[in-house]
Amino acid sequence: MDPIRIAIVGVGKIARDQHIPAINGNANFSLAATVSPHHRGPEGTPHFASLEELIESGPAVDAVALCTPPQVRYDLAALALAKGMHVFLEKPPGATLAEVAALESRAEKVGVTLFASWHSRFAAGVAPARAWLAERTVKSAKIIWREDVRVWHPGQAWIWEPGGLGVFDPGINALSIATHILPRPFFLRSATLEIPANRAAPIAADIEFRDTAGATIHMDLDWRQTGPQSWDIVVETDAGTLKLSNGGAVLTLPTGTEHNEDMEYPGLYARFANLIRGGRSDADIAPLRLVADAFLRGHRQTVEAFHD
């Protein structure tokens, strides 16, 4: 079959570090163009300042990968869908739940694929963790996701604005794993969001969830971590403790630790190709719904102003 001609919209760090190599490594795709008003893509790849410009005067494109901040993604996705393009949404898939629902409805009417991607679900330890937990009884779980925002998001003002999610931008990765591996649905019980006096989004959060059988899930998010970073999920079961560390890359079971090669973005693009070839969409909003609940029901606590 001919490769799927794909354009990347938004040529920032995540596009350069992850999307472009994954596309180049997948024979199902060919990188047809890049779109950004600020940054060019790889040398020799047609580049356009806007998606409108690509549509009007660029090469034919079958799909787009939207790597922009979530606040501007809806209009881009709606335009692409209206032109019959398949759409890959970076995480989080939108600034609101209603946006994603509207896009899913549009994709279904047009007959193209909408893919709400959750890259952390493709980390090396996640699939075996899901399989192991499916045969156990979960007693409790802890999520510790602490990192230094100055290291990972320097100068990125959009993450502090409404719709940018603040500390939930990385934290939603943990929720994408937890909603995938835990065998029972879970929901918010309480949340405290720490918001800097000069920002609109939280820098830290302390959250309690409970699953449908009563097991508690505690989440600790913080963007003020220095030194070693923490991206861990620990699950207590009737058969012992499971731990996913390094963002899901390393799985430790009672029998020992497993180290497997991480293939997050190659896995995402393999999934996207399969969805397109099969005429299906995947717009799971479970992680975003939990974040929305935290904002809706969470107690907001103002803390000292943050300066990047």
Side-chain angles (χ1 to χ4, degrees):
M1 300 179 72
D2 292 335
I4 299 160
R5 298 165 296 186
I6 190 168
I8 292 179
V9 182
V11 191
K13 179 176 173 56
I14 195 67
R16 293 191 301 270
D17 291 353
Q18 301 291 349
H19 286 262
I20 292 172
I23 289 169
N24 289 338
N26 190 322
N28 287 294
F29 293 96
S30 64
L31 182 59
T34 57
V35 176
S36 172
H38 308 296
H39 306 289
R40 297 191 67 86
E43 185 175 355
T45 301
H47 182 80
F48 302 87
S50 68
L51 182 56
E52 290 85 354
E53 183 182 335
L54 168 63
I55 291 169
E56 291 172 4
S57 59
V61 170
D62 305 306
V64 294
L66 301 184
C67 304
T68 64
Q71 295 97 321
V72 301
R73 208 172 289 154
Y74 173 81
D75 288 339
L76 293 167
L79 175 59
L81 292 173
K83 298 300 180 180
M85 300 176 187
H86 309 288
V87 175
F88 179 119
L89 300 169
E90 248 294 353
K91 66 86 190 169
T96 70
L97 295 167
E99 285 183 2
V100 183
L103 292 175
E104 187 174 19
S105 177
R106 282 180 181 235
E108 184 177 0
K109 289 178 181 178
V110 175
V112 296
T113 293
L114 180 72
F115 181 34
S117 69
W118 300 105
H119 66 83
S120 291
R121 288 181 174 175
F122 290 84
V126 172
R130 175 184 168 96
W132 193 83
L133 288 171
E135 300 177 355
R136 273 80 187 178
T137 299
V138 172
K139 296 181 177 180
S140 65
K142 295 186 295 184
I143 301 169
I144 305 97
W145 226 255
R146 290 171 160 256
E147 62 182 43
D148 188 344
V149 66
R150 293 182 176 91
V151 172
W152 298 99
H153 301 277
Q156 295 183 22
W158 65 267
I159 57 176
W160 296 107
E161 297 168 357
L165 300 188
V167 75
F168 286 100
D169 179 73
I172 204 169
N173 291 333
L175 290 174
S176 74
I177 295 173
T179 54
H180 190 62
I181 67 171
L182 294 176
R184 296 186 295 262
F186 60 94
F187 50 89
L188 186 93
R189 297 298 294 168
S190 65
T192 299
L193 312 182
E194 297 185 26
I195 302 176
N198 61 338
R199 306 289 179 174
I203 195 169
D206 187 88
I207 306 170
E208 290 286 344
F209 299 103
R210 192 182 75 190
D211 76 8
T212 53
T216 59
I217 301 151
H218 178 250
M219 187 174 200
D220 172 14
L221 300 177
D222 205 314
W223 251 352
R224 298 165 295 194
Q225 180 98 324
T226 58
Q229 311 286 275
S230 303
W231 300 293
D232 303 319
I233 298 176
V234 180
V235 185
E236 301 295 341
T237 78
D238 60 340
T241 302
L242 174 149
K243 181 178 181 180
L244 275 171
S245 54
N246 197 23
V250 179
L251 172 63
T252 302
L253 298 172
T255 53
T257 299
E258 300 180 6
H259 296 273
N260 298 298
E261 183 182 3
D262 251 343
M263 297 290 287
E264 290 189 15
Y265 279 83
L268 284 177
Y269 276 93
R271 172 70 171 158
F272 191 34
N274 287 337
L275 289 170
I276 292 172
R277 302 298 193 199
R280 295 174 291 124
S281 288
D282 179 357
D284 180 24
I285 58 170
L288 184 59
R289 185 168 56 233
L290 291 170
V291 173
D293 286 351
F295 276 93
L296 179 66
R297 293 193 57 190
H299 168 70
R300 289 166 171 79
Q301 178 179 319
T302 301
V303 296
E304 183 180 351
F306 174 81
H307 300 283
D308 196 351

